Amino acid sequence: MSTTTVDGAGSLIIDDEQTTKRHSRSLDLQSNERTAIPVRHQRSASESDGLEMKMAAEQQQKNMSPSVTIKHDSRHSSATPPSVFSIYKKKLSSPYRHRSLHTPSANNNIVGLPEIRSQISKSRASIGSAFTSLYQSSFNNSTTTRRFSTPVNNPDAAVAMHPLNQQKSIEEEDEGDIKKVPTYLLDQTGESKRSLPYSLQHEINQFAIDGFAKKYFATHKRGLFRRAVPMNELLCWTKDSIKQPLLLSNRDSCKDALKCFKTLQMLMNDRPRPRHFNFIEQLQSILSCGITRGQMRDEIYVQICRQLSKNPRIESTRKGWEILCVVCMTFPPSKNLESYLHHFVRQHHQNKNSQLVIQSHYVTAKLNRICTRGARGKVLSTAEIERAMEAPFKPSVFGESLDYIMELEKKKNCKDSSSLKIPRIVTFLTRAIYQLNGKASEGIFRVPGDADAVTELRIHIENGNYGSTDIEDPNVPASLLKYWLRDLADPLIPSDLYDSCIKHANDKEKAIDIINSLPDVNRRIALYMIRFLQDFTDPEVTKLTLMNVLNLAMVFAPNFLRCPSANLKTIFENSKYEQDFLKTLITSLDVNHEDCAYSEQKVLGRIKD
């Protein structure tokens, strides 16, 4: 601690803390170790002006006193480190105070009258002392007065503010609000009604391509000044080619994206075709690109939607929807595009063009299916593409629900199917296996039939032709029978009974009771198929086919039951119980074969004697 000697009446030693005067408006804070000085009064701006006049008088008196001298202490020649608030000193101090006895660049020892020093010290109290006293007073008051209230537990208010209690039922809303509610919400009943706030549900339903485009579309530029192409133009039909992929994720597949768009324009007759242009082969090239290169799937879907948006040509629009029908049967869109694509297709459900309405409903159903089951392993054949393009107007018996298939066959009013209680395809394929001597075919139901022959037979049936065919291999109708069961929209044994089947896999009474509890069409088909498989368990037949009851149960169990879990470990572990369940039915169930297909009475399975 440095000291300062004051000449005059005796010697007085004063430490630097008292000698170094702070500016009256300085914001330098004092150390917390010092004792807080209570603030009796804080000066206003007018009082500061009075202080300046007082300091001017003191300066004049000092100049007149011969005993007042200023000594510079060499020990304090180094500049004092700037304080935190030193940047305010120049702004807040007056011009006169810059010429005061205290120099901010160096610590000076002031030698003068004790009275002058004490008056200046009292009048120029540090704001740091004020801050310190204020802090201490606030701290003392905090022990007695709470500035913030503590949380109060109010269960009644919590229940009243719960979102479910604030939702009004649709019946209680006025007529104007009901008109704003989407139709699909009006169809909901019970607890599912208005499960989401209308504003949020409305935003979800209004999800359109512009929102997807702003997030995932690449920026396209054109012209000499490379100006960005407006998003509205990127979302509409065009007869021009594109210079880069529509999506940001396909910059590495630029050539494939440009080629696909060029091919798509030729398929839709938006671009002149070459002389030897083959429609099916070019469409297969697009499908192959989507199957083998997953990152191109969204690009293909977005390109098709762009060419269908505000397309002025009717023929081009029809071709575009036919292409979309084929694509949605081959590979699914990504999760990012799925919601937009569904919204885009649903926008055309109320179109004035009846054909377009039928196609849009068909695409919606196939999108739901392909998004659940995943992409195909190979490109569709020529016959499959032709069938897929006309499928919206010629419903198929493959991939549909059993109720829909039965209604479809009733509309056809076929002579053979008028008395049938199960789909005609079941009896047609089982009889074909018998006629082609399937009981003597080694590996029947295990050995797959020729893929092209199976596809040809499927197209033959989808076109309504159940007559004689040129097929000679019993493995072809056997493979198609398994495919039809596996391809049903809903499993033959509903998913809500799956756990019961696994639990009672080895209990013949429980297993038969589960089959008897199925809906009528499901029950008849299950009983018919079990009785059909029992014909292949005869020891004489097994010697030729090499397919015992365990092999048959292993092959057909996935066609009867579908594990609802997506966990591969669970699926693998449950497969054994699925096989045991079907083996129990094959060995224990007794039913009449013809009654399952033609009897007007309710047919139930029973335990063998």
Side-chain angles (χ1 to χ4, degrees):
M1 178 185 301
S2 60
T3 60
T4 303
T5 303
V6 181
D7 297 336
S11 298
L12 180 63
I13 301 177
I14 304 174
D15 58 357
D16 286 343
E17 293 180 351
Q18 297 177 353
T19 306
T20 304
K21 301 295 188 298
R22 285 185 172 84
H23 194 279
S24 62
R25 294 188 181 180
S26 173
L27 298 181
D28 294 343
L29 299 180
Q30 295 183 354
S31 174
N32 293 334
E33 298 178 357
R34 296 187 58 181
T35 305
I37 302 175
V39 178
R40 299 179 180 178
H41 179 67
Q42 281 191 332
R43 296 190 308 271
S44 61
S46 61
E47 292 175 335
S48 298
D49 296 337
L51 179 61
E52 292 179 359
M53 296 176 63
K54 181 178 181 180
M55 290 183 64
E58 291 175 349
Q59 180 69 19
Q60 184 178 1
Q61 183 180 0
K62 180 192 65 172
N63 294 335
M64 296 174 60
S65 176
S67 61
V68 178
T69 58
I70 298 177
K71 296 182 179 181
H72 179 72
D73 192 352
S74 60
R75 290 176 298 177
H76 300 279
S77 59
S78 60
T80 304
S83 62
V84 177
F85 302 99
S86 60
I87 59 175
Y88 296 98
K89 182 176 295 184
K90 183 176 181 180
K91 180 183 293 187
L92 297 178
S93 59
S94 62
Y96 181 81
R97 289 174 184 171
H98 282 292
R99 296 189 299 270
S100 62
L101 298 178
H102 175 250
T103 304
S105 61
N107 292 331
N108 298 328
N109 295 331
I110 304 175
V111 181
L113 297 176
E115 292 81 1
I116 298 176
R117 190 163 51 253
S118 60
Q119 290 179 0
I120 296 176
S121 176
K122 291 179 180 180
S123 62
R124 304 180 64 180
S126 173
I127 292 182
S129 300
F131 284 164
T132 304
S133 61
L134 179 62
Y135 170 77
Q136 289 187 352
S137 62
S138 300
F139 178 78
N140 295 332
N141 293 335
S142 64
T143 60
T144 58
T145 304
R146 295 183 180 272
R147 293 179 176 268
F148 303 98
S149 62
T150 58
V152 178
N153 186 14
N154 192 343
D156 296 335
V159 173
M161 291 186 294
H162 196 279
L164 296 180
N165 295 330
Q166 292 181 335
Q167 295 294 335
K168 294 183 179 180
S169 61
I170 294 180
E171 291 81 0
E172 296 176 354
E173 294 181 352
D174 55 11
E175 184 178 357
D177 292 336
I178 293 178
K179 293 181 179 180
K180 298 179 181 179
V181 178
T183 56
Y184 69 90
L185 285 179
L186 294 175
D187 296 335
Q188 297 179 358
T189 58
E191 296 179 356
S192 63
K193 189 179 296 183
R194 299 300 300 273
S195 58
L196 288 176
Y198 172 73
S199 58
L200 177 59
Q201 188 67 57
H202 181 70
E203 291 179 2
I204 295 175
N205 295 334
Q206 292 299 322
F207 179 80
I209 189 171
D210 53 353
F212 179 84
K214 291 178 182 178
K215 187 173 182 180
Y216 297 103
F217 270 34
T219 302
H220 292 241
K221 298 182 179 181
R222 65 186 176 189
L224 180 63
F225 299 100
R226 308 301 297 162
R227 295 180 178 177
V229 179
M231 196 64 64
N232 294 334
E233 295 186 19
L234 291 178
L235 307 179
C236 297
W237 172 88
T238 180
K239 63 179 180 179
D240 302 326
S241 59
I242 58 176
K243 304 300 182 182
Q244 65 183 85
L246 295 179
L247 300 182
L248 290 169
S249 58
N250 294 321
R251 289 181 175 178
D252 297 336
S253 307
C254 182
K255 292 183 179 180
D256 293 333
L258 301 184
K259 183 179 179 181
C260 284
F261 189 77
K262 182 179 179 181
T263 304
L264 179 64
Q265 287 180 314
M266 289 188 290
L267 292 174
M268 297 177 63
N269 290 326
D270 294 332
R271 177 188 290 268
R273 299 178 178 179
R275 178 176 299 179
H276 302 289
F277 182 82
N278 188 305
F279 183 91
I280 299 297
E281 291 181 357
Q282 294 299 323
L283 182 54
Q284 286 176 331
S285 66
I286 294 180
L287 299 179
S288 177
C289 182
I291 292 175
T292 57
R293 309 195 64 174
Q295 68 272 18
M296 282 294 299
R297 295 174 183 176
D298 284 358
E299 180 74 22
I300 294 173
Y301 273 111
V302 170
Q303 289 180 2
I304 295 174
C305 292
R306 176 181 181 178
Q307 292 303 98
L308 289 176
S309 180
K310 299 181 181 180
N311 193 328
R313 303 177 181 178
I314 298 177
E315 181 65 19
S316 175
T317 303
R318 184 182 65 83
K319 286 289 185 181
W321 279 100
E322 290 178 351
I323 295 171
L324 187 57
C325 290
V326 177
V327 172
C328 69
M329 293 182 60
T330 308
F331 51 80
S334 67
K335 290 295 182 182
N336 295 330
L337 182 63
E338 183 178 346
S339 299
Y340 150 70
L341 196 57
H342 278 286
H343 178 80
F344 175 83
V345 176
R346 284 196 299 267
Q347 286 179 336
H348 298 80
H349 286 181
Q350 305 297 330
N351 197 284
K352 296 180 180 180
N353 189 337
S354 59
Q355 292 185 352
L356 185 57
V357 172
I358 297 174
Q359 288 177 320
S360 63
H361 278 88
Y362 177 83
V363 171
T364 298
K366 293 305 176 182
L367 279 177
N368 293 329
R369 180 181 179 83
I370 197 70
C371 290
T372 303
R373 301 198 174 184
R376 292 172 59 98
K378 63 177 183 178
V379 179
L380 276 67
S381 63
T382 301
E384 289 176 314
I385 291 177
E386 293 175 349
R387 171 60 193 171
M389 294 174 66
E390 61 183 11
F393 309 101
K394 293 182 179 181
S396 172
V397 294
F398 289 88
E400 304 292 345
S401 64
L402 290 175
D403 293 337
Y404 178 82
I405 295 173
M406 295 302 296
E407 292 178 2
L408 186 63
E409 293 189 350
K410 288 180 181 179
K411 292 179 180 179
K412 292 181 179 180
N413 294 324
C414 298
K415 294 181 180 180
D416 296 339
S417 61
S418 59
S419 59
L420 273 175
K421 304 302 179 182
I422 59 176
R424 187 182 180 189
I425 186 175
V426 179
T427 58
F428 172 78
L429 293 176
T430 53
R431 289 175 182 175
I433 296 172
Y434 283 136
Q435 293 172 0
L436 295 175
N437 199 19
K439 288 185 177 182
S441 177
E442 181 177 347
I444 189 67
F445 303 119
R446 177 176 57 83
V447 177
D450 181 70
D452 294 336
V454 173
T455 301
E456 183 180 354
L457 179 60
R458 181 167 66 84
I459 299 300
H460 193 75
I461 294 174
E462 286 184 329
N463 292 329
N465 300 323
Y466 289 92
S468 61
T469 60
D470 298 333
I471 298 175
E472 299 179 356
D473 184 8
N475 292 314
V476 173
S479 298
L480 189 59
L481 178 61
K482 294 188 299 179
Y483 174 80
W484 180 83
L485 289 171
R486 187 173 60 254
D487 197 50
L488 288 173
D490 301 313
L492 185 61
I493 299 178
S495 300
D496 55 351
L497 296 175
Y498 180 84
D499 293 337
S500 299
C501 296
I502 299 301
K503 182 179 180 180
H504 306 291
N506 296 305
D507 189 339
K508 56 184 179 181
E509 293 183 0
K510 294 289 185 180
I512 295 175
D513 290 341
I514 292 174
I515 296 299
N516 290 335
S517 66
L518 298 177
D520 185 66
V521 178
N522 299 57
R523 182 181 67 257
R524 288 176 178 271
I525 296 175
L527 294 174
Y528 185 93
M529 287 300 305
I530 292 170
R531 183 64 185 84
F532 170 73
L533 293 176
Q534 288 176 348
D535 292 341
F536 291 83
T537 59
D538 186 88
E540 297 297 328
V541 176
T542 304
K543 291 180 181 179
L544 301 176
T545 61
L546 301 180
M547 293 289 292
N548 56 25
V549 64
L550 296 177
N551 301 132
L552 294 173
M554 181 183 299
V555 171
F556 273 90
N559 304 318
F560 277 71
L561 295 167
R562 294 180 196 169
C563 183
S565 175
N567 191 333
L568 296 178
K569 182 180 179 181
T570 303
I571 296 174
F572 178 77
E573 292 176 350
N574 289 354
S575 61
K576 178 181 181 300
Y577 299 99
E578 295 174 0
Q579 298 170 19
D580 291 343
F581 177 78
L582 192 58
K583 183 191 71 172
T584 301
L585 294 174
I586 295 175
T587 57
S588 305
L589 189 141
D590 184 22
V591 70
N592 186 282
H593 200 240
E594 295 296 326
D595 290 346
C596 297
Y598 297 99
S599 177
E600 296 288 343
Q601 298 179 354
K602 185 176 181 179
V603 181
L604 298 175
R606 55 187 179 275
I607 300 176
K608 286 183 177 181
D609 297 335

